[in-house]
Amino acid sequence: MSVVIPAYNEARRLPRSLPLLVAALRKVPGSEVIVVDDGSLDGTAAIAAGLLRGLPGSRVIRLPWNSGKGAAIRVGVAAATGEAIVFMDADLASDVTDLPVLLAALEHAEVALGSRRIGPGADRTRTRQLGSWAFNQIARSITDLDIADTQCGFKAFRKAEAKVLFSLSRATGFGFDVEVLSLARSLGYRIVEVPVRWTEEPGGTFRIIRHTPAMLADLVRARRHVHRAGQPSPARPVEPLGDLAVYRSRRDESAGASRSREGAAPPPDAQAGGAVVVRQVGPGLG
């Protein structure tokens, strides 16, 4: 498994968040962390390198100037070697203990999304909730994505599909998620959403007034880009896997059994005392 962390001027928050991630991944043989320093001015790269010394194979990639979150993650995905590629925000607002659940969802889909809008686990200010809801509604209307939470900074991909999607993506800013997910839909990849615990952390670099116009422009460009790449594949239901109904595109059926995981077990519980709710996303689903 590879975990990609985009970081811009995160010298103050990484000493709190990165050790938690490193400690968790020590229990996962062969895992790596790739911190992509997006042209920081505060020593982020040096601090991250020191904190990663305890996890063999992990490294810091430093971009020469600030290029945007989407660009930083694209560089990290290109360098990743794990069979599963995850990206998380530098503040670790998403609970790292939910990582096994997100990875388990990849048994049934090529893309697994942490979601703050399904399940009760998100702790956010009212302003951020409203902003996220408004952006999601606009994204749905522009791109036809039926995804509850496109912007949560906690997503997992199978390696081959991640390499394809991020090599095709062009968006560099905070709106890159929508473009990548639209591309995934157009290529017929299965997408699932998994409820995760998420706590808003102070000191983030996202600013609603400053970054929202650029994100909306990214949506428009994403729609044009995906339309040039091809129309979304229709989806049809197949046999349910336990409590998880998986939807596959017609393109999946022609790909043969190599991509089929129907025999896999459903994802485990997200936490003691609470069942996982995995929401399958497919064309025509609400």
Side-chain angles (χ1 to χ4, degrees):
M1 173 177 59
S2 299
V3 180
V4 176
I5 307 286
Y8 177 63
N9 289 342
E10 295 286 1
R12 294 181 62 184
R13 298 199 295 180
L14 283 179
R16 182 198 63 81
S17 61
L18 209 51
L20 297 176
L21 179 61
V22 170
L25 294 185
R26 282 200 187 102
K27 304 173 185 177
V28 185
S31 61
E32 65 178 4
V33 175
I34 301 172
V35 174
V36 182
D37 178 8
D38 188 18
S40 299
L41 304 174
D42 64 350
T44 289
I47 290 173
L51 294 170
L52 290 178
R53 285 184 187 135
L55 195 65
S58 298
R59 57 202 182 278
V60 176
I61 300 174
R62 192 170 194 280
L63 303 185
W65 52 77
N66 181 233
S67 301
K69 183 178 180 180
I73 292 178
R74 187 154 54 242
V75 168
V77 168
T81 61
E83 290 305 313
I85 299 176
V86 180
F87 71 76
M88 301 182 69
D89 289 338
D91 59 5
L92 232 62
S94 298
D95 194 328
V96 70
T97 60
D98 286 332
L99 188 55
V101 184
L102 198 67
L103 294 173
L106 292 180
E107 291 295 319
H108 313 291
E110 287 75 34
V111 182
L113 313 177
S115 178
R116 300 162 294 186
R117 297 191 65 205
I118 57 176
D123 180 12
R124 295 189 287 173
T125 63
R126 187 64 175 169
T127 300
R128 288 293 295 270
Q129 284 181 317
L130 290 174
S132 175
W133 177 85
F135 181 81
N136 186 266
Q137 296 305 304
I138 295 171
R140 282 173 177 247
S141 65
I142 292 177
T143 65
D144 295 325
L145 280 175
D146 53 338
I147 293 174
D149 188 357
T150 60
Q151 300 308 113
C152 181
F154 193 27
K155 295 180 173 67
F157 304 79
R158 296 184 190 175
K159 178 181 180 180
E161 286 75 14
K163 299 287 187 178
V164 169
L165 290 172
F166 283 90
S167 68
L168 291 174
S169 70
R170 298 291 179 268
T172 59
F174 286 100
F176 79 96
D177 304 75
V178 173
E179 181 189 45
V180 167
L181 296 177
S182 296
L183 286 167
R185 171 61 47 72
S186 73
L187 293 172
Y189 294 164
R190 293 166 295 179
I191 305 172
V192 294
E193 290 188 89
V194 180
V196 294
R197 287 160 289 188
W198 194 91
T199 303
E200 185 170 328
E201 298 289 342
T205 58
F206 178 78
R207 299 292 181 268
I208 291 179
I209 295 177
R210 175 184 173 187
H211 293 116
T212 297
M215 291 175 68
L216 295 177
D218 280 343
L219 291 184
V220 175
R221 284 192 291 266
R223 181 177 181 177
R224 293 173 182 168
H225 185 191
V226 172
H227 280 192
R228 287 196 297 268
Q231 295 299 318
S233 298
R236 56 188 302 183
V238 297
E239 293 298 319
L241 304 177
D243 296 329
L244 171 62
V246 174
Y247 286 73
R248 298 174 63 200
S249 72
R250 299 182 190 277
R251 191 174 307 181
D252 285 331
E253 294 179 349
S254 63
S258 62
R259 287 180 57 189
S260 176
R261 299 279 184 111
E262 276 80 4
D269 287 352
Q271 54 186 340
V276 173
V277 179
V278 180
R279 178 179 180 272
Q280 171 63 40
V281 179
L285 299 179

